[in-house]
């Protein structure tokens, strides 16, 4: 047993299994959160029937998708039609391999980690356009063409935004980037007198376009293209596309957090006296508060099974909050806590954009990409390079 | 051992992808096999500890160039072209060229037998500082002029394509 635990491949294999096993569930709950938040923006309730406040809705959805008929269009190119969603899901999940969730919780620390993520997202484009082509139908083909043009355009702006961050870190390794922020004592988003917020903005806008989300969701614009490239997909294959989409959302949020917002670091990572309030009191208060809030919701529920489920959730939240007060557990989990908290804020912001902005027209999309994002990204590189060098050499 | 296995796997992907690319009827299938072949090359780079080249190979060739290839192929209706046998008509020319080049190779290999040797694996310590950093250092110091000339060439191509697109519109 000891030799198994000490083996250098133990953590990577364990992390791989956890990611593959847990992410589909997480994606289901991301969908639920998105539906609930959008419902809140539109003054609706959202899913309410399955479980307390729709808490078990993702499981019902997943079951439905498993059991649905798998339709293969008769004129479709069978092999490619089968492969396309697999390509999307495979590339989206393999990007997780280089994301550091906590100081030692990652599958691999590659010295070109950021480029590996770019590469996986570049291959992921193929899943979308091949799926659109293989369906042998007009709307999917148009959706596939649109997304090919859109993704290739915004990939440039995305890379330019990443370069600014890499320049500050001096390394492409994801762990190295976080360590560089720790040694500088500031998250990169606030470095260079706040100038790094410019590439961060460019990154977020391009990332939304790169993940095909509103307001840049032209490849799947319902009012024009039915459902875009996945119009002909149903059942489990469609679910694979959906899984890939949410995995991509999670990946771009994680990259933004790692590169600009300090990854697993707490706010003010080098200020010693903030350790207790931020690493112990804050997570405990957050979890206990949510648990207490869930208990308060109990009295509004009528069905006794729903009450039981909600009570169980509340107990889990309170136990987690109490666990964070134990120093040994806290040491192990606090990195994970900050990482996921920041990713959650980022994902919430992406949902917020979706709920707020109307969809852009196709020419507006291309204008924003080529005439604004790319020049701003290039300018950000120049300015941040000069300011960064000036800050590093005080004699200038 | 594992590296040898991976080498043969990537070599198979590269060569098999290449062969299938030129034998497939459908242009989209050809493009997909070309992608497989390019990925095999990327894997070979990775085995040579050239991580930067590996990533750039995938980002540029698969993510950039091949996506544009597919974009064009999907726009053009190639069903008609796929049915015709136009690509293989002058097969006797191909055969003649193949025989000529094959004979040439055979002649050179026979006359210079001693010049060809199998590479001996060299025990080299992994370079310190990382692949990307070394590449950048070399590009911006030792090979600065060729690098800048290549950049200029690319700039000319970009400006030229913009001007050509302008004229049509």
């Amino acid at each position: 047993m000891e030799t198994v635990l000490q083996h250098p491949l133990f953590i990577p294999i364990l992390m791989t299994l956890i990611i593959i096993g847990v992410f589909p569930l997480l994606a289901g709950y991301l969908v639920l959160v998105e539906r609930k938040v959008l419902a809140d923006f539109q003054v609706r309730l959202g899913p309410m029937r399955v479980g307390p406040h729709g808490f078990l809705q993702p499981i019902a959805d997943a079951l439905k998708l498993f059991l649905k008929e798998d339709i293969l269009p008769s004129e479709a190119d069978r092999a490619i039609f089968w492969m396309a969603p697999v390509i999307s899901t495979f590339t989206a999940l393999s990007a997780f391999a280089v994301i550091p969730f906590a100081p030692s919780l990652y599958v691999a620390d590659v010295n070109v980690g950021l480029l590996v993520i770019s590469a996986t997202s570049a291959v992921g484009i193929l899943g979308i356009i091949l799926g659109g082509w293989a369906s042998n139908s007009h709307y999917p083909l148009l959706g596939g063409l649109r997304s090919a043009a859109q993704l290739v355009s915004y990939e440039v702006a995305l890379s330019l935004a990443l370069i600014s961050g890499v320049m500050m870190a001096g390394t492409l390794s994801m762990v190295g980037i976080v360590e560089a922020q720790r040694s500088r004592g500031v998250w990169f988003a606030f470095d260079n007198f706040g100038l790094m917020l410019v590439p961060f903005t460019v990154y977020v806008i391009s990332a939304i376009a790169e993940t095909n989300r509103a307001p840049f969701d032209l490849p799947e614009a319902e009012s024009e293209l039915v459902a875009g490239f996945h119009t002909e997909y149903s059942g489990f294959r469609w679910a694979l596309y959906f899984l890939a989409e949410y995995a991509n959302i999670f990946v771009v949020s994680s990259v933004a957090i790692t590169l600009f917002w300090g990854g697993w670091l707490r706010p003010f990572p080098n200020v010693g006296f903030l350790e207790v309030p931020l690493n112990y009191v804050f997570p405990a208060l957050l979890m206990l508060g949510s648990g207490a809030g869930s208990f308060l919701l109990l009295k509004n529920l009528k069905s006794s099974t729903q009450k039981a489920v909600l009570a169980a959730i509340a107990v889990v939240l309170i136990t987690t909050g109490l666990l964070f007060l134990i120093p040994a557990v806290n040491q192990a989990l606090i990195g994970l806590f900050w990482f996921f908290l920041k990713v959650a804020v980022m994902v919430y912001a992406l949902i917020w954009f979706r709920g707020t902005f109307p969809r852009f027209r196709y020419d507006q999309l291309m204008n924003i990409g080529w005439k604004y994002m790319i020049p701003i990204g290039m300018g950000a590189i120049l300015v941040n390079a000069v300011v960064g060098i000036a800050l590093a050499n005080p004699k200038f | 051992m594992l590296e040898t296995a991976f080498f043969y796997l990537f070599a198979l992907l590269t060569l098999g992808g290449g062969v299938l690319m030129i034998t497939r009827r459908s242009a989209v299938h050809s493009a997909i096999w070309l992608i497989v072949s390019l990925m095999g090359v990327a894997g070979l780079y990775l085995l040579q500890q050239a991580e930067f080249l590996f990533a750039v190979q995938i980002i540029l060739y698969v993510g950039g160039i091949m996506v544009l290839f597919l974009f064009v192929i999907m726009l053009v209706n190639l069903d008609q072209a796929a049915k015709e046998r136009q690509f293989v008509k002058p097969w006797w020319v191909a055969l003649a060229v193949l025989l000529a080049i094959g004979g040439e190779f055979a002649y050179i290999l026979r006359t210079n037998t001693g010049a060809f040797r199998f590479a001996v694996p060299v025990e080299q310590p992994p370079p310190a500082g990382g692949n990307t950093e070394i590449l950048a250092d070399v590009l911006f110091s030792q090979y600065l002029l060729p690098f800048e000339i290549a950049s200029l060439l690319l700039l000319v191509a970009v400006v030229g394509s913009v001007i050509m697109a302008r004229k049509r519109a």
Side-chain angles (χ1 to χ4, degrees):
Chain A
M1 192 62 204
E2 199 65 5
T3 48
V4 171
L5 286 175
Q6 295 295 321
H7 197 272
L9 283 178
F10 175 69
I11 295 262
I13 291 177
L14 185 73
M15 284 299 293
T16 312
L17 291 178
I18 291 177
I19 288 167
I20 294 174
V22 171
F23 188 75
L25 192 69
L26 187 65
Y29 277 93
L30 274 178
V31 176
L32 178 69
V33 167
E34 177 153 25
R35 289 175 68 182
K36 278 299 213 187
V37 173
L38 282 179
D40 193 37
F41 285 144
Q42 296 158 0
V43 205
R44 297 183 282 119
L45 284 175
M48 285 296 278
R49 297 298 173 96
V50 192
H53 293 263
F55 188 77
L56 301 176
Q57 182 76 36
I59 294 160
D61 284 343
L63 271 179
K64 185 197 79 170
L65 286 171
F66 272 122
L67 298 175
K68 249 181 135 175
E69 187 191 353
D70 177 30
I71 299 168
L72 191 78
S74 58
E75 292 285 299
D77 190 313
R78 261 161 193 276
I80 300 181
F81 192 81
W82 282 359
M83 275 307 289
V86 177
I87 295 174
S88 278
T89 315
F90 177 80
T91 52
L93 285 180
S94 56
F96 281 90
V98 291
I99 294 174
F101 299 97
S104 58
L105 283 183
Y106 46 80
V107 178
D109 177 26
V110 194
N111 60 358
V112 287
L114 209 56
L115 286 180
V116 169
I117 291 183
S118 291
T120 52
S121 82
V123 180
I125 300 175
L126 291 175
I128 291 179
I129 55 178
L130 287 178
W133 178 81
S135 306
N136 201 358
S137 157
H138 291 117
Y139 290 129
L141 182 65
L142 283 173
L145 287 175
R146 275 187 181 187
S147 67
Q150 173 179 336
L151 297 183
V152 170
S153 315
Y154 275 87
E155 218 175 5
V156 184
L158 194 78
S159 320
L160 288 175
L162 290 180
I163 287 173
S164 290
V166 171
M167 215 161 50
M168 300 296 297
T171 173
L172 286 165
S173 144
M174 300 290 272
V175 176
I177 288 169
V178 181
E179 289 299 336
Q181 296 179 69
R182 188 209 291 282
S183 64
R184 285 177 77 100
V186 59
W187 294 350
F188 283 155
F190 305 118
D191 217 334
N192 283 356
F193 309 116
L195 278 172
M196 286 294 287
L197 283 170
V198 178
F200 173 68
T201 317
V202 173
Y203 177 83
V204 171
I205 294 173
S206 319
I208 297 172
E210 198 66 14
T211 46
N212 283 331
R213 282 178 64 81
F216 299 112
D217 59 343
L218 286 139
E220 40 195 290
E222 302 88 358
S223 47
E224 301 158 29
L225 294 177
V226 189
F229 61 90
H230 57 57
T231 305
E232 302 288 347
Y233 281 88
S234 63
F236 192 61
R237 284 175 217 295
W238 182 84
L240 281 183
Y241 267 130
F242 226 65
L243 184 67
E245 198 178 318
Y246 279 87
N248 279 329
I249 291 166
F250 195 88
V251 168
V252 296
S253 306
S254 307
V255 172
I257 295 308
T258 309
L259 195 55
F260 295 103
W261 298 93
W264 68 76
L265 301 175
R266 66 185 160 88
F268 308 104
N270 290 348
V271 185
F273 67 88
L274 284 173
E275 163 129 22
V276 171
L278 282 175
N279 273 6
Y280 289 86
V281 179
F282 176 69
L285 273 183
L286 192 72
M287 296 288 176
L288 293 177
S290 326
S294 309
F295 267 123
L296 284 181
L297 284 173
L298 266 179
K299 64 176 190 304
N300 296 341
L301 290 175
K302 302 217 165 45
S303 145
S304 61
T305 46
Q306 295 214 342
K307 270 187 176 170
V309 174
L310 191 60
I313 296 166
V315 168
V316 167
L317 281 170
I318 288 172
T319 332
T320 328
L322 290 176
L323 277 179
F324 269 105
L325 291 175
I326 305 169
V329 182
N330 189 298
Q331 289 286 323
L333 289 182
I334 196 67
L336 213 57
F337 169 79
W338 281 113
F339 182 83
F340 275 97
L341 185 73
K342 291 180 208 170
V343 169
V345 171
M346 186 76 197
V347 169
Y348 184 86
L350 291 183
I351 300 172
W352 194 352
F353 291 146
R354 177 175 171 180
T356 316
F357 292 109
R359 182 179 295 136
F360 285 106
R361 241 179 20 236
Y362 195 69
D363 57 321
Q364 290 173 327
L365 171 99
M366 284 296 163
N367 268 347
I368 292 172
W370 289 98
K371 294 186 183 163
Y372 296 98
M373 287 304 123
I374 293 177
I376 291 175
M378 282 180 176
I381 292 178
L382 289 179
V383 172
N384 278 311
V386 172
V387 175
I389 289 175
L391 277 178
N393 303 298
K395 60 174 180 281
F396 269 156
Chain B
M1 180 58 214
L2 197 64
E3 261 184 39
T4 318
F6 271 118
F7 171 77
Y8 281 110
L9 178 71
F10 289 134
L12 186 73
L13 282 182
T14 311
L15 295 177
V19 168
L20 282 165
M21 180 202 81
I22 47 177
T23 49
R24 289 304 93 186
R25 262 297 148 69
S26 155
V28 172
H29 288 189
S30 288
I32 290 172
W33 285 114
L34 181 56
I35 290 169
V36 170
S37 179
L38 291 169
M39 300 272 251
V41 175
L44 290 175
Y45 283 143
L46 196 58
L47 282 183
Q48 296 294 314
Q49 300 185 332
E51 298 92 357
F52 183 74
L53 275 184
F54 154 78
V56 166
Q57 164 91 2
I58 293 184
I59 295 172
L60 281 189
Y61 281 92
V62 179
I65 295 175
M66 287 317 294
V67 167
L68 289 181
F69 268 31
L70 279 171
F71 190 83
V72 173
I73 292 171
M74 280 156 66
L75 278 179
V76 181
N77 189 6
L78 288 164
D79 291 346
Q80 205 66 34
K83 284 185 190 109
E84 290 167 11
R85 289 182 63 86
Q86 56 186 5
F87 302 124
V88 284
K89 244 176 202 165
W91 60 270
W92 47 272
V93 178
L95 194 66
V97 170
L98 182 73
L99 283 177
I101 293 177
E104 211 172 320
F105 264 108
Y107 175 72
I108 291 171
L109 281 174
R110 268 196 74 81
T111 49
N112 301 296
T113 326
F116 292 94
R117 255 174 283 133
F118 283 108
V120 187
V122 185
E123 280 305 322
Q124 234 177 356
N131 184 244
T132 317
E133 288 84 344
I134 293 172
L135 194 72
D137 279 346
V138 171
L139 268 188
F140 283 102
S141 54
Q142 202 176 345
Y143 298 104
L144 184 63
L145 189 65
F147 180 71
E148 291 298 332
I149 291 175
S151 320
L152 201 65
L153 203 64
L154 286 174
L155 186 69
V156 170
V158 169
V159 173
S161 61
V162 168
I163 287 175
M164 280 168 71
R166 270 269 165 89
K167 262 183 198 162
R168 300 243 175 91

